[in-house]
Amino acid sequence: MQWQTHDISNQVADLQDYNIFTSDAVLMTSLAQYQADWYQNTLTESGLELGSSAVLEAAALANTHLPELHTHDRQGKRIDRVNFHPSWHQLLGILRKQGLHASPWSQPRMGAHVARAAGYFMQSQVESGSLCPSTMTFASIPVLQNEAALFAELKDKLYSLEHDPRDLPIAQKKSILIGMGMTEKQGGSDVRTNTTMAVALGAEGRGQGYALTGHKWFFSAPMCDAHLVLAKTEIGLSCFFVPRWRPDGSKNSVLVQRLKDKLGNKSNSSSEVEFQDAYGVMVGNEGRGIPTIIEMANLTRLDCVIGSAGLMRQALVQAIHHARHRTAFGKKLADQPLMRNVLADLALESEAATRLMLHLAAALDAPDDALQRAWKRIMTPAAKFWICKRALEFTGECMEVWGGNGYVETGPMARLYREAPVNSIWEGSGNVMCLDVLRAMERDPEGLQLLLQLWSSSASEQVRQIVVELQKDLAPTEFREMNARRITQKLVLTAQAFLMAEYAEEDIGLAFVQSRADAECGRVYGSLHGQATSALLDRIISRSFIY
């Protein structure tokens, strides 16, 4: 028998069946700014689907029923297959249907990269693990486009809007996914220490077949139909297209040793593999593997920024939803003055991250513009460092809004928190990003000056003063490497201050600029100065989540 001892009250219902797009004023109003408002109807439809209880349940299931590795079949034959819960394929199907893996390449037009970033940003709020194969496929296409014969075979399958989960040779698939395999256990980010070797099967050079022998320590999404891999020839590190199945239809000898037991990103399988004369086709010029793969890395790093901004947005939305419905000490949490300060501060941080990631995506739509190239080359690694770092603290603060309810795995906050560190590590950790920022500034000093001139043109006196302070940090060269994190942080805060002053509502932009320039504000959320009136705090919060 069950005995009822008390009524259940003051517990917040799950946030579901809401439109992720139309509840986000910043995202909606930014599309026209970047000539991407032609995509608004699609995003509205997608936002409704992604916020539905059915899709949110699929995201939870994909992270409950984790990928399973099967190295051999019942008869003892090597299959190296990873099996997924159907919810994983449901999520990949949604990504594919929206064209988030290829649309700027398959249907180029002004605003295409911003439109794709907006869709990716929304999907990242629902489930992060399924983003990985789509990101790698997206980043691989510009590299593969340079290989005429190979790309002709792959083009239709790469551009297809239908997800095909079948484990078959590429020729038999309706659509394909492409992964990446760079790091090895002895080197990590230092890929120059890679030991995997490639030996020509006949003729040598670009477009020719090779046999690869070696290993990869992180080989994400091993069920992708092919991976772009770094391996050494006699000339040096080169890039290879390594399919899951050989051209003759036999399984390629890419042996999955085990799946990584990761902190987060659980739905996505990351593996260790051994190559035993695995078949691969050289992509790009021999000995130029790193420059070839870096073209992909620039795009995957932007997706790390978008993904972290998406995590921040979802954590914020969950925190505001909880605070609007949870009562403490006689008031709703959202009506408590200190909680309003915390939520408004978080909302400012999320808006600044959103605006920066959209601006970086817009830079891809103007590759011939010197200023936009500077945003891409200098500010993308800088944003990858700062936004991904901020997501860790941000999701933790939003979890705290929920109190103990946020710390349990049955709610959404724990998964958001566990997802946060991965984007800061993958595609180059913090120090790697900051050193890349320094190299980018040294290689493109004119681009740096264009950025500084743009930011100095701000109508906001405080933004102009921030630029002056940044230039002081940029001037010394003796200790520049040691101060790379400080410089990178100031670069991003200056860019965000400019974008907020330029595009946000005037008093909201001012609140961000004042607080981020105030040393006493510190890094603790909820310490906005008293100049941010109660009415302004309320407006920031209400505008940040329209629901």
Side-chain angles (χ1 to χ4, degrees):
M1 296 179 65
Q2 292 183 340
W3 298 92
Q4 183 172 328
T5 61
H6 62 282
D7 293 329
I8 297 174
S9 62
N10 202 27
Q11 286 290 317
V12 179
D14 291 340
L15 174 60
Q16 57 186 16
D17 295 320
Y18 75 106
N19 193 311
I20 290 179
F21 178 64
T22 59
S23 61
D24 188 341
V26 173
L27 190 61
M28 284 198 301
T29 56
S30 295
L31 293 180
Q33 172 190 325
Y34 297 111
Q35 302 179 58
D37 47 344
W38 50 268
Y39 202 56
Q40 184 156 336
N41 289 340
T42 300
L43 290 174
T44 300
E45 294 174 3
S46 175
L48 192 60
E49 179 182 21
L50 290 171
S52 69
S53 55
V55 172
L56 295 175
E57 181 182 8
L61 287 171
N63 284 272
T64 301
H65 303 281
L66 304 185
E68 297 179 350
L69 171 63
H70 298 272
T71 57
H72 297 78
D73 68 8
R74 180 181 63 83
Q75 298 168 329
K77 291 182 291 188
R78 191 91 197 200
I79 57 174
D80 298 282
R81 182 176 299 151
V82 180
N83 290 340
F84 296 87
H85 189 269
S87 57
W88 167 261
H89 295 296
Q90 180 183 348
L91 294 165
L92 285 179
I94 294 172
L95 279 157
R96 196 92 193 193
K97 177 178 63 177
Q98 298 299 324
L100 301 181
H101 67 293
S103 56
W105 317 126
S106 60
Q107 297 178 307
R109 60 180 294 183
M110 183 54 67
H113 281 283
V114 173
R116 185 255 175 189
Y120 190 96
F121 173 71
M122 286 165 44
Q123 184 101 14
S124 68
Q125 296 177 48
V126 174
E127 207 285 313
S128 293
S130 54
L131 300 174
C132 182
S134 296
T135 280
M136 294 188 295
T137 302
F138 173 73
S140 74
I141 291 175
V143 173
L144 294 171
Q145 284 176 331
N146 293 326
E147 309 302 318
L150 179 59
F151 189 70
E153 298 176 11
L154 305 177
K155 178 180 176 181
D156 290 344
K157 301 175 194 297
L158 284 170
Y159 288 168
S160 171
L161 299 181
E162 179 183 356
H163 172 58
D164 187 346
R166 297 175 299 164
D167 185 19
L168 294 171
I170 288 175
Q172 301 175 36
K173 296 286 293 285
K174 296 178 181 178
S175 65
I176 58 174
L177 292 168
I178 309 296
M180 296 168 63
M182 291 189 288
T183 60
E184 298 182 4
K185 58 173 67 75
Q186 73 282 350
S189 296
D190 187 5
V191 295
R192 288 174 177 80
T193 65
N194 281 11
T195 60
T196 298
M197 300 298 297
V199 177
L201 296 172
E204 298 180 355
R206 191 170 189 166
Q208 301 301 320
Y210 282 74
L212 279 64
T213 301
H215 79 281
K216 294 298 167 186
W217 186 235
F218 271 97
F219 196 76
S220 283
M223 288 304 292
C224 284
D225 299 282
H227 285 73
L228 290 179
V229 168
L230 287 178
K232 284 184 175 179
T233 65
E234 291 183 359
I235 293 179
L237 274 176
S238 303
C239 183
F240 295 88
F241 177 86
V242 179
R244 210 177 131 66
W245 297 83
R246 295 175 182 270
D248 64 5
S250 63
K251 184 191 170 299
N252 206 0
S253 51
V254 179
L255 311 181
V256 181
Q257 303 298 88
R258 60 174 176 173
L259 299 184
K260 298 287 193 182
D261 185 6
K262 299 171 294 184
L263 167 69
N265 211 248
K266 295 280 192 178
S267 67
N268 177 39
S269 58
S270 299
S271 64
E272 300 168 24
V273 301
E274 295 279 345
F275 301 134
Q276 295 185 4
D277 287 336
Y279 172 80
V281 176
M282 184 178 289
V283 172
N285 292 325
E286 186 172 4
R288 299 290 294 169
I290 294 177
T292 301
I293 222 82
I294 280 177
E295 185 175 350
M296 290 182 68
N298 287 332
L299 294 168
T300 55
R301 287 171 178 177
L302 175 56
D303 274 8
C304 287
V305 176
I306 302 171
S308 289
L311 286 174
M312 293 165 71
R313 170 68 189 172
Q314 180 59 201
L316 171 69
V317 164
Q318 292 288 351
I320 292 176
H321 173 73
H322 184 85
R324 284 174 175 170
H325 295 87
R326 177 80 168 178
T327 299
F329 309 112
K331 290 183 181 179
K332 296 291 185 187
L333 286 177
D335 295 330
Q336 308 276 2
L338 184 54
M339 180 58 79
R340 285 207 309 274
N341 196 318
V342 172
L343 293 175
D345 204 355
L346 290 166
L348 290 174
E349 187 79 19
S350 176
E351 178 169 345
T354 300
R355 293 193 182 281
L356 180 55
M357 70 90 176
L358 289 172
H359 206 78
L360 293 174
L364 297 176
D365 284 321
D368 298 325
D369 184 287
L371 175 59
Q372 298 310 315
R373 282 200 303 271
W375 277 100
K376 173 187 172 183
R377 293 172 178 173
I378 298 173
M379 294 310 301
T380 297
K384 166 44 169 97
F385 168 75
W386 183 246
I387 302 299
C388 298
K389 280 265 186 287
R390 292 295 274 171
L392 277 74
E393 184 179 359
F394 190 101
T395 52
E397 191 71 60
C398 291
M399 178 189 289
E400 193 170 321
V401 173
W402 277 51
N405 288 329
Y407 198 66
V408 297
E409 293 285 356
T410 48
M413 306 307 284
R415 174 153 59 93
L416 293 174
Y417 185 69
R418 283 188 284 102
E419 290 288 0
V422 70
N423 286 328
S424 192
I425 296 170
W426 282 4
E427 308 305 331
S429 56
N431 285 356
V432 173
M433 289 300 97
C434 293
L435 294 175
D436 276 1
V437 170
L438 295 187
R439 280 190 287 269
M441 291 192 300
E442 290 167 359
R443 291 171 181 170
D444 188 12
E446 293 82 6
L448 176 61
Q449 289 307 310
L450 288 173
L451 288 171
L452 294 173
Q453 290 169 17
L454 173 68
W455 299 336
S456 297
S457 71
S458 173
S460 166
E461 181 180 349
Q462 286 183 295
V463 172
R464 295 197 300 271
Q465 184 56 43
I466 291 173
V467 177
V468 171
E469 295 300 318
L470 169 62
Q471 289 174 310
K472 291 178 182 178
D473 277 302
L474 290 172
T477 57
E478 184 178 359
F479 301 106
R480 181 170 282 187
E481 182 172 329
M482 184 183 72
N483 291 324
R485 285 190 172 217
R486 176 184 176 88
I487 291 170
T488 301
Q489 173 182 324
K490 281 203 167 186
L491 273 170
V492 179
L493 288 175
T494 304
Q496 287 184 317
F498 173 80
L499 293 173
M500 290 292 284
E502 187 79 9
Y503 299 118
E505 294 183 15
E506 184 176 356
D507 50 356
I508 293 177
L510 182 61
F512 178 86
V513 175
Q514 287 179 334
S515 61
R516 272 52 183 178
D518 180 4
E520 294 182 2
C521 183
R523 289 188 59 194
V524 178
Y525 291 108
S527 53
L528 293 175
H529 195 274
Q531 291 173 339
T533 65
S534 179
L536 177 57
L537 297 182
D538 289 342
R539 196 160 68 82
I540 292 172
I541 297 167
S542 61
R543 181 178 178 277
S544 64
F545 181 36
I546 307 168
Y547 178 63

